[in-house]
Short mmCIF file of all heavy atoms in Angstrom, two decimals:
data_model
loop_
_atom_site.label_atom_id
_atom_site.label_comp_id
_atom_site.label_asym_id
_atom_site.label_seq_id
_atom_site.Cartn_x
_atom_site.Cartn_y
_atom_site.Cartn_z
N ARG A 470 0.24 18.39 54.23
CA ARG A 470 -0.94 17.58 54.53
C ARG A 470 -1.37 17.95 55.91
O ARG A 470 -2.50 17.68 56.43
CB ARG A 470 -0.43 16.08 54.59
CG ARG A 470 -0.50 15.45 53.20
CD ARG A 470 -1.93 15.22 52.71
NE ARG A 470 -1.90 14.69 51.26
CZ ARG A 470 -1.80 13.46 51.00
NH1 ARG A 470 -1.65 12.58 52.07
NH2 ARG A 470 -1.88 13.18 49.75
N GLY A 471 -0.47 18.58 56.82
CA GLY A 471 -0.82 18.98 58.09
C GLY A 471 -1.52 20.43 58.21
O GLY A 471 -2.01 20.79 59.21
N LEU A 472 -1.57 21.06 57.08
CA LEU A 472 -2.29 22.36 56.94
C LEU A 472 -3.86 22.24 57.06
O LEU A 472 -4.33 21.09 56.63
CB LEU A 472 -1.92 23.09 55.77
CG LEU A 472 -0.41 23.48 55.75
CD1 LEU A 472 -0.06 24.12 54.32
CD2 LEU A 472 0.06 24.35 56.93
N PRO A 473 -4.57 23.20 57.51
CA PRO A 473 -6.07 23.12 57.46
C PRO A 473 -6.50 22.90 56.10
O PRO A 473 -7.65 22.23 55.93
CB PRO A 473 -6.51 24.45 58.06
CG PRO A 473 -5.35 25.00 58.79
CD PRO A 473 -4.11 24.44 58.12
N VAL A 474 -5.92 23.50 55.14
CA VAL A 474 -6.31 23.39 53.62
C VAL A 474 -5.09 23.06 52.90
O VAL A 474 -4.17 23.72 52.94
CB VAL A 474 -7.07 24.69 53.21
CG1 VAL A 474 -7.41 24.50 51.71
CG2 VAL A 474 -8.18 24.94 54.01
N ASN A 475 -5.25 22.06 51.97
CA ASN A 475 -4.14 21.78 51.09
C ASN A 475 -4.05 22.82 50.05
O ASN A 475 -5.06 23.08 49.32
CB ASN A 475 -4.46 20.39 50.38
CG ASN A 475 -3.32 19.88 49.52
OD1 ASN A 475 -2.40 20.67 49.12
ND2 ASN A 475 -3.25 18.61 49.36
N PRO A 476 -2.90 23.59 49.87
CA PRO A 476 -2.78 24.63 48.88
C PRO A 476 -2.76 24.12 47.50
O PRO A 476 -2.78 25.03 46.60
CB PRO A 476 -1.57 25.28 49.30
CG PRO A 476 -0.72 24.23 50.00
CD PRO A 476 -1.68 23.35 50.72
N GLN A 477 -2.62 22.80 47.24
CA GLN A 477 -2.68 22.27 45.90
C GLN A 477 -1.54 22.92 45.14
O GLN A 477 -1.73 23.44 43.99
CB GLN A 477 -3.99 22.46 45.19
CG GLN A 477 -5.25 22.06 45.98
CD GLN A 477 -5.26 20.52 46.14
OE1 GLN A 477 -4.32 19.70 45.56
NE2 GLN A 477 -6.11 20.05 46.98
N GLY A 478 -0.34 22.58 45.60
CA GLY A 478 0.93 23.19 44.97
C GLY A 478 1.14 22.78 43.54
O GLY A 478 1.41 23.57 42.72
N HIS A 479 0.88 21.47 43.23
CA HIS A 479 1.04 21.04 41.96
C HIS A 479 0.11 21.65 40.88
O HIS A 479 0.48 21.86 39.76
CB HIS A 479 1.04 19.52 41.81
CG HIS A 479 1.68 18.89 40.61
ND1 HIS A 479 3.12 18.85 40.45
CD2 HIS A 479 1.24 18.43 39.45
CE1 HIS A 479 3.34 18.33 39.29
NE2 HIS A 479 2.21 18.08 38.62
N ALA A 480 -1.09 21.93 41.31
CA ALA A 480 -2.13 22.59 40.60
C ALA A 480 -1.58 24.03 40.20
O ALA A 480 -1.80 24.41 39.03
CB ALA A 480 -3.51 22.54 41.21
N TRP A 481 -1.15 24.72 41.18
CA TRP A 481 -0.56 25.99 40.91
C TRP A 481 0.64 25.89 39.94
O TRP A 481 0.92 26.91 39.16
CB TRP A 481 -0.21 26.74 42.15
CG TRP A 481 -1.34 27.21 42.95
CD1 TRP A 481 -1.95 26.74 44.03
CD2 TRP A 481 -2.25 28.17 42.52
NE1 TRP A 481 -3.02 27.42 44.45
CE2 TRP A 481 -3.32 28.38 43.57
CE3 TRP A 481 -2.27 29.09 41.56
CZ2 TRP A 481 -4.32 29.34 43.33
CZ3 TRP A 481 -3.24 30.15 41.44
CH2 TRP A 481 -4.24 30.22 42.34
N TRP A 482 1.45 24.95 40.04
CA TRP A 482 2.51 24.67 39.06
C TRP A 482 2.03 24.70 37.74
O TRP A 482 2.53 25.28 36.75
CB TRP A 482 3.30 23.41 39.48
CG TRP A 482 3.92 22.68 38.31
CD1 TRP A 482 3.35 21.55 37.71
CD2 TRP A 482 5.15 22.95 37.76
NE1 TRP A 482 4.28 21.04 36.77
CE2 TRP A 482 5.42 21.86 36.78
CE3 TRP A 482 6.26 23.86 37.97
CZ2 TRP A 482 6.54 21.80 36.02
CZ3 TRP A 482 7.39 23.73 37.23
CH2 TRP A 482 7.51 22.76 36.27
N HIS A 483 0.81 23.98 37.53
CA HIS A 483 0.29 23.93 36.16
C HIS A 483 -0.12 25.36 35.75
O HIS A 483 -0.02 25.62 34.55
CB HIS A 483 -1.00 23.00 36.21
CG HIS A 483 -0.57 21.59 36.32
ND1 HIS A 483 -1.41 20.61 36.80
CD2 HIS A 483 0.59 20.88 36.01
CE1 HIS A 483 -0.84 19.48 36.75
NE2 HIS A 483 0.34 19.54 36.31
N VAL A 484 -0.78 25.99 36.65
CA VAL A 484 -1.29 27.42 36.29
C VAL A 484 -0.16 28.35 35.77
O VAL A 484 -0.16 28.94 34.74
CB VAL A 484 -2.10 28.00 37.36
CG1 VAL A 484 -2.38 29.47 37.13
CG2 VAL A 484 -3.32 27.19 37.72
N PHE A 485 0.86 28.47 36.62
CA PHE A 485 1.94 29.33 36.30
C PHE A 485 2.74 28.86 35.07
O PHE A 485 3.25 29.67 34.34
CB PHE A 485 2.92 29.53 37.50
CG PHE A 485 2.23 30.46 38.57
CD1 PHE A 485 1.68 29.97 39.83
CD2 PHE A 485 2.31 31.81 38.40
CE1 PHE A 485 1.11 30.87 40.66
CE2 PHE A 485 1.65 32.63 39.34
CZ PHE A 485 1.04 32.19 40.45
N MET A 486 2.95 27.57 35.05
CA MET A 486 3.71 27.03 33.80
C MET A 486 2.83 27.14 32.54
O MET A 486 3.36 27.39 31.53
CB MET A 486 3.99 25.55 34.08
CG MET A 486 5.18 25.36 35.01
SD MET A 486 6.63 26.27 34.49
CE MET A 486 7.11 25.63 32.97
N GLY A 487 1.50 27.21 32.67
CA GLY A 487 0.68 27.46 31.54
C GLY A 487 0.92 28.93 30.95
O GLY A 487 1.04 29.14 29.86
N ILE A 488 1.07 29.78 31.91
CA ILE A 488 1.32 31.19 31.64
C ILE A 488 2.65 31.35 30.92
O ILE A 488 2.97 31.95 29.96
CB ILE A 488 1.24 32.18 32.77
CG1 ILE A 488 -0.29 32.14 33.30
CG2 ILE A 488 1.69 33.72 32.40
CD1 ILE A 488 -0.49 32.90 34.65
N SER A 489 3.65 30.69 31.71
CA SER A 489 5.05 30.68 31.18
C SER A 489 5.21 30.15 29.81
O SER A 489 5.88 30.72 28.84
CB SER A 489 5.98 29.96 32.15
OG SER A 489 7.28 29.95 31.71
N THR A 490 4.65 28.95 29.48
CA THR A 490 4.84 28.40 28.29
C THR A 490 4.11 29.04 27.14
O THR A 490 4.23 28.70 25.92
CB THR A 490 4.37 26.78 28.31
OG1 THR A 490 3.06 26.79 28.86
CG2 THR A 490 5.35 26.04 29.16
N TYR A 491 3.16 29.99 27.47
CA TYR A 491 2.51 30.74 26.47
C TYR A 491 3.39 32.02 26.13
O TYR A 491 3.60 32.40 25.07
CB TYR A 491 1.11 31.11 27.00
CG TYR A 491 0.41 32.15 26.04
CD1 TYR A 491 -0.08 31.74 24.84
CD2 TYR A 491 0.28 33.46 26.39
CE1 TYR A 491 -0.75 32.62 23.96
CE2 TYR A 491 -0.18 34.39 25.50
CZ TYR A 491 -0.70 34.11 24.37
OH TYR A 491 -1.36 35.03 23.51
N HIS A 492 3.76 32.74 27.21
CA HIS A 492 4.53 33.94 27.01
C HIS A 492 5.96 33.72 26.43
O HIS A 492 6.42 34.69 25.74
CB HIS A 492 4.58 34.68 28.43
CG HIS A 492 3.39 35.56 28.71
ND1 HIS A 492 3.06 35.94 29.82
CD2 HIS A 492 2.46 36.02 27.74
CE1 HIS A 492 1.90 36.77 29.82
NE2 HIS A 492 1.54 36.75 28.60
N GLY A 493 6.57 32.62 26.71
CA GLY A 493 7.90 32.35 26.08
C GLY A 493 7.83 32.38 24.57
O GLY A 493 8.55 33.26 24.01
N PRO A 494 6.98 31.61 23.92
CA PRO A 494 6.85 31.68 22.52
C PRO A 494 6.48 33.06 21.97
O PRO A 494 6.95 33.56 20.85
CB PRO A 494 5.90 30.57 22.17
CG PRO A 494 5.99 29.66 23.36
CD PRO A 494 6.32 30.45 24.47
N ILE A 495 5.59 33.83 22.63
CA ILE A 495 5.14 35.09 22.34
C ILE A 495 6.21 36.03 22.24
O ILE A 495 6.43 36.79 21.29
CB ILE A 495 4.07 35.65 23.20
CG1 ILE A 495 2.73 34.82 23.18
CG2 ILE A 495 3.78 37.08 22.97
CD1 ILE A 495 2.11 34.92 21.72
N PHE A 496 7.18 36.02 23.31
CA PHE A 496 8.29 36.81 23.20
C PHE A 496 9.26 36.52 22.02
O PHE A 496 9.75 37.47 21.33
CB PHE A 496 8.99 36.70 24.54
CG PHE A 496 10.38 37.46 24.60
CD1 PHE A 496 10.39 38.78 24.77
CD2 PHE A 496 11.61 36.81 24.43
CE1 PHE A 496 11.62 39.58 24.69
CE2 PHE A 496 12.82 37.42 24.51
CZ PHE A 496 12.76 38.82 24.55
N MET A 497 9.41 35.16 21.79
CA MET A 497 10.32 34.77 20.71
C MET A 497 9.66 35.13 19.36
O MET A 497 10.45 35.42 18.38
CB MET A 497 10.54 33.27 20.77
CG MET A 497 11.57 32.93 21.90
SD MET A 497 13.17 33.94 21.91
CE MET A 497 13.72 33.44 20.25
N GLN A 498 8.45 35.10 19.21
CA GLN A 498 7.70 35.62 18.04
C GLN A 498 8.06 37.15 17.77
O GLN A 498 8.27 37.52 16.68
CB GLN A 498 6.16 35.37 18.01
CG GLN A 498 5.77 34.05 17.89
CD GLN A 498 4.29 33.83 17.88
OE1 GLN A 498 3.66 34.55 18.63
NE2 GLN A 498 3.75 32.75 17.34
N TYR A 499 7.99 37.90 18.85
CA TYR A 499 8.42 39.33 18.82
C TYR A 499 9.81 39.38 18.40
O TYR A 499 10.17 40.30 17.43
CB TYR A 499 8.27 39.94 20.23
CG TYR A 499 8.62 41.38 20.10
CD1 TYR A 499 7.60 42.38 19.93
CD2 TYR A 499 9.92 41.88 20.30
CE1 TYR A 499 7.86 43.79 19.99
CE2 TYR A 499 10.17 43.24 20.25
CZ TYR A 499 9.12 44.23 20.15
OH TYR A 499 9.43 45.45 20.13
N VAL A 500 10.81 38.63 18.88
CA VAL A 500 12.12 38.67 18.52
C VAL A 500 12.32 38.33 16.97
O VAL A 500 13.09 38.94 16.31
CB VAL A 500 12.93 37.70 19.32
CG1 VAL A 500 14.38 37.54 18.80
CG2 VAL A 500 13.03 38.19 20.80
N ARG A 501 11.61 37.33 16.54
CA ARG A 501 11.72 36.91 15.24
C ARG A 501 11.18 37.98 14.23
O ARG A 501 11.73 38.30 13.13
CB ARG A 501 10.82 35.63 15.05
CG ARG A 501 10.93 35.08 13.54
CD ARG A 501 12.27 34.71 13.30
NE ARG A 501 12.32 33.98 11.97
CZ ARG A 501 13.48 33.93 11.26
NH1 ARG A 501 14.64 34.48 11.57
NH2 ARG A 501 13.38 33.29 10.01
N MET A 502 10.17 38.65 14.57
CA MET A 502 9.64 39.74 13.73
C MET A 502 10.62 40.95 13.59
O MET A 502 10.75 41.47 12.61
CB MET A 502 8.26 40.20 14.27
CG MET A 502 7.03 39.25 14.08
SD MET A 502 6.69 38.86 12.41
CE MET A 502 7.72 37.38 11.99
N GLU A 503 11.28 41.25 14.79
CA GLU A 503 12.30 42.23 14.70
C GLU A 503 13.47 41.78 13.85
O GLU A 503 14.01 42.74 13.10
CB GLU A 503 12.79 42.57 16.16
CG GLU A 503 11.89 43.43 16.92
CD GLU A 503 12.63 44.20 18.04
OE1 GLU A 503 13.65 43.59 18.48
OE2 GLU A 503 12.12 45.25 18.41
N GLN A 504 13.82 40.59 13.94
CA GLN A 504 14.92 40.07 12.95
C GLN A 504 14.43 40.31 11.54
O GLN A 504 15.37 40.61 10.72
CB GLN A 504 15.21 38.67 13.33
CG GLN A 504 15.84 38.45 14.69
CD GLN A 504 15.87 36.94 15.06
OE1 GLN A 504 15.34 36.12 14.35
NE2 GLN A 504 16.56 36.62 16.09
N LEU A 505 13.25 40.15 11.26
CA LEU A 505 12.79 40.19 9.88
C LEU A 505 12.36 41.67 9.55
O LEU A 505 11.86 41.80 8.45
CB LEU A 505 11.52 39.28 9.63
CG LEU A 505 12.00 37.84 9.73
CD1 LEU A 505 10.58 37.04 9.83
CD2 LEU A 505 12.81 37.31 8.76
N LYS A 506 12.68 42.59 10.36
CA LYS A 506 12.48 44.04 10.19
C LYS A 506 11.01 44.37 10.04
O LYS A 506 10.54 45.14 9.29
CB LYS A 506 13.17 44.57 8.90
CG LYS A 506 14.68 44.10 8.80
CD LYS A 506 15.45 44.79 9.96
CE LYS A 506 16.94 44.49 9.74
NZ LYS A 506 17.80 45.01 10.85
N LYS A 507 10.13 43.64 10.77
CA LYS A 507 8.61 43.94 10.78
C LYS A 507 8.30 44.90 11.93
O LYS A 507 8.97 44.76 12.92
CB LYS A 507 7.92 42.56 11.01
CG LYS A 507 8.04 41.53 9.84
CD LYS A 507 7.19 41.82 8.70
CE LYS A 507 7.26 40.76 7.63
NZ LYS A 507 6.41 41.02 6.55
N LYS A 508 7.32 45.61 11.69
CA LYS A 508 6.76 46.50 12.62
C LYS A 508 5.86 45.70 13.50
O LYS A 508 4.79 45.16 13.04
CB LYS A 508 6.09 47.76 12.06
CG LYS A 508 5.56 48.86 13.01
CD LYS A 508 5.01 49.95 12.25
CE LYS A 508 4.72 51.06 13.23
NZ LYS A 508 3.98 52.22 12.62
N VAL A 509 6.23 45.59 14.82
CA VAL A 509 5.54 44.70 15.62
C VAL A 509 5.30 45.22 17.01
O VAL A 509 6.06 46.08 17.41
CB VAL A 509 6.23 43.30 15.71
CG1 VAL A 509 7.58 43.51 16.42
CG2 VAL A 509 5.59 42.20 16.57
N ARG A 510 4.15 44.86 17.65
CA ARG A 510 4.00 45.28 19.01
C ARG A 510 3.28 44.30 19.77
O ARG A 510 2.68 43.34 19.28
CB ARG A 510 3.03 46.62 18.94
CG ARG A 510 1.68 46.40 18.30
CD ARG A 510 0.98 47.75 18.30
NE ARG A 510 -0.25 47.71 17.64
CZ ARG A 510 -1.36 47.36 18.21
NH1 ARG A 510 -1.55 47.06 19.56
NH2 ARG A 510 -2.54 47.34 17.53
N ILE A 511 3.30 44.41 21.10
CA ILE A 511 2.72 43.58 22.15
C ILE A 511 1.33 44.17 22.45
O ILE A 511 1.22 45.40 22.63
CB ILE A 511 3.53 43.33 23.39
CG1 ILE A 511 4.88 42.64 22.99
CG2 ILE A 511 2.82 42.61 24.39
CD1 ILE A 511 4.68 41.29 22.48
N TYR A 512 0.29 43.22 22.42
CA TYR A 512 -0.99 43.72 22.60
C TYR A 512 -1.67 42.88 23.71
O TYR A 512 -1.57 41.75 23.92
CB TYR A 512 -1.77 43.46 21.35
CG TYR A 512 -3.28 43.65 21.44
CD1 TYR A 512 -3.88 44.97 21.40
CD2 TYR A 512 -4.21 42.65 21.46
CE1 TYR A 512 -5.12 45.36 21.45
CE2 TYR A 512 -5.60 42.91 21.58
CZ TYR A 512 -6.11 44.20 21.58
OH TYR A 512 -7.37 44.39 21.60
N ASP A 513 -2.27 43.63 24.63
CA ASP A 513 -3.00 43.00 25.83
C ASP A 513 -4.33 42.34 25.32
O ASP A 513 -5.16 43.05 24.67
CB ASP A 513 -3.38 44.12 26.94
CG ASP A 513 -2.21 44.45 27.64
OD1 ASP A 513 -1.32 43.66 27.99
OD2 ASP A 513 -2.00 45.71 27.93
N THR A 514 -4.59 41.06 25.71
CA THR A 514 -5.82 40.43 25.34
C THR A 514 -6.76 40.49 26.55
O THR A 514 -7.62 41.10 26.60
CB THR A 514 -5.54 38.95 24.91
OG1 THR A 514 -4.79 38.25 25.90
CG2 THR A 514 -4.81 38.93 23.73
N CYS A 515 -6.45 39.77 27.70
CA CYS A 515 -7.22 39.83 28.77
C CYS A 515 -6.52 39.21 29.98
O CYS A 515 -5.53 38.40 29.76
CB CYS A 515 -8.57 39.04 28.56
SG CYS A 515 -8.39 37.28 28.21
N VAL A 516 -6.79 39.65 31.26
CA VAL A 516 -6.25 39.12 32.43
C VAL A 516 -4.77 38.80 32.39
O VAL A 516 -4.32 37.79 32.76
CB VAL A 516 -7.06 37.87 32.83
CG1 VAL A 516 -8.48 38.21 33.40
CG2 VAL A 516 -7.14 36.73 31.85
N GLY A 517 -4.01 39.84 31.96
CA GLY A 517 -2.64 39.70 32.00
C GLY A 517 -1.98 38.82 30.89
O GLY A 517 -0.82 38.56 30.91
N ILE A 518 -2.78 38.46 29.93
CA ILE A 518 -2.25 37.61 28.78
C ILE A 518 -2.03 38.58 27.59
O ILE A 518 -2.89 39.20 27.11
CB ILE A 518 -3.19 36.42 28.47
CG1 ILE A 518 -3.38 35.52 29.61
CG2 ILE A 518 -2.77 35.62 27.24
CD1 ILE A 518 -2.16 34.88 30.17
N GLN A 519 -0.80 38.47 27.13
CA GLN A 519 -0.54 39.21 25.92
C GLN A 519 -0.40 38.42 24.60
O GLN A 519 -0.21 37.26 24.70
CB GLN A 519 0.76 39.91 26.01
CG GLN A 519 0.83 41.23 27.13
CD GLN A 519 0.71 40.83 28.44
OE1 GLN A 519 1.25 39.90 28.98
NE2 GLN A 519 -0.11 41.64 29.26
N THR A 520 -0.62 39.14 23.53
CA THR A 520 -0.35 38.39 22.22
C THR A 520 0.52 39.49 21.37
O THR A 520 0.80 40.62 21.85
CB THR A 520 -1.65 38.04 21.57
OG1 THR A 520 -1.45 37.29 20.43
CG2 THR A 520 -2.49 39.37 21.13
N ILE A 521 0.74 39.03 20.17
CA ILE A 521 1.56 39.82 19.27
C ILE A 521 0.83 40.32 18.10
O ILE A 521 -0.16 39.59 17.53
CB ILE A 521 2.80 39.07 18.79
CG1 ILE A 521 3.79 39.84 18.14
CG2 ILE A 521 2.49 37.78 17.92
CD1 ILE A 521 5.16 39.05 17.92
N VAL A 522 1.03 41.62 17.61
CA VAL A 522 0.47 42.15 16.59
C VAL A 522 1.40 42.68 15.50
O VAL A 522 2.32 43.39 15.91
CB VAL A 522 -0.62 43.30 16.92
CG1 VAL A 522 -1.20 44.05 15.59
CG2 VAL A 522 -1.65 42.76 17.91
N VAL A 523 1.39 42.11 14.33
CA VAL A 523 2.25 42.58 13.31
C VAL A 523 1.62 43.72 12.50
O VAL A 523 0.47 43.50 11.90
CB VAL A 523 2.78 41.42 12.39
CG1 VAL A 523 3.69 41.92 11.31
CG2 VAL A 523 3.32 40.36 13.18
N GLU A 524 2.17 44.93 12.52
CA GLU A 524 1.53 46.12 11.82
C GLU A 524 1.70 45.88 10.33
O GLU A 524 2.63 45.24 9.88
CB GLU A 524 2.30 47.33 12.28
CG GLU A 524 2.28 47.54 13.77
CD GLU A 524 0.85 48.01 14.20
OE1 GLU A 524 -0.08 48.23 13.41
OE2 GLU A 524 0.67 48.15 15.41
N ASP A 525 0.68 46.47 9.60
CA ASP A 525 0.83 46.44 8.20
C ASP A 525 1.66 47.61 7.59
O ASP A 525 1.37 48.78 7.89
CB ASP A 525 -0.79 46.68 7.65
CG ASP A 525 -0.72 46.55 6.05
OD1 ASP A 525 0.31 46.22 5.50
OD2 ASP A 525 -1.83 46.83 5.46
N ASN A 526 2.65 47.16 7.09
CA ASN A 526 3.64 48.17 6.54
C ASN A 526 3.39 48.72 5.23
O ASN A 526 4.25 49.49 4.67
CB ASN A 526 5.07 47.58 6.58
CG ASN A 526 5.59 47.26 7.92
OD1 ASN A 526 5.19 48.04 8.88
ND2 ASN A 526 6.40 46.26 8.18
N GLY A 527 2.14 48.32 4.64
CA GLY A 527 1.88 48.90 3.36
C GLY A 527 2.31 47.98 2.22
O GLY A 527 2.89 46.98 2.41
N PRO A 528 2.06 48.44 1.03
CA PRO A 528 2.45 47.67 -0.10
C PRO A 528 3.89 47.34 -0.35
O PRO A 528 4.28 46.41 -1.02
CB PRO A 528 1.90 48.46 -1.46
CG PRO A 528 1.82 49.84 -0.93
CD PRO A 528 1.58 49.82 0.48
N ASP A 529 4.71 48.12 0.22
CA ASP A 529 6.14 47.89 0.06
C ASP A 529 6.75 47.02 1.08
O ASP A 529 7.98 46.80 1.12
CB ASP A 529 6.95 49.22 0.08
CG ASP A 529 6.50 50.13 -1.03
OD1 ASP A 529 6.15 49.53 -2.07
OD2 ASP A 529 6.52 51.37 -0.96
N SER A 530 5.91 46.47 2.06
CA SER A 530 6.40 45.70 3.15
C SER A 530 6.94 44.34 2.57
O SER A 530 6.34 43.85 1.61
CB SER A 530 5.28 45.43 4.18
OG SER A 530 4.21 44.74 3.57
#
Side-chain angles (χ1 to χ4, degrees):
R470 284 284 177 85
L472 299 176
V474 178
N475 187 336
Q477 307 298 347
H479 199 78
W481 284 109
W482 150 261
H483 289 159
V484 172
F485 282 101
M486 285 306 297
I488 297 170
S489 174
T490 52
Y491 171 79
H492 273 161
I495 292 297
F496 175 72
M497 287 308 301
Q498 285 178 334
Y499 182 93
V500 171
R501 182 60 174 158
M502 290 295 97
E503 280 205 333
Q504 292 170 351
L505 296 171
K506 312 295 185 186
K507 294 282 187 179
K508 189 176 180 182
V509 62
R510 62 185 174 88
I511 297 296
Y512 173 75
D513 287 320
T514 55
C515 62
V516 291
I518 300 300
Q519 281 75 37
T520 188
I521 191 170
V522 174
V523 181
E524 302 287 354
D525 185 6
N526 293 330
D529 297 330
S530 62

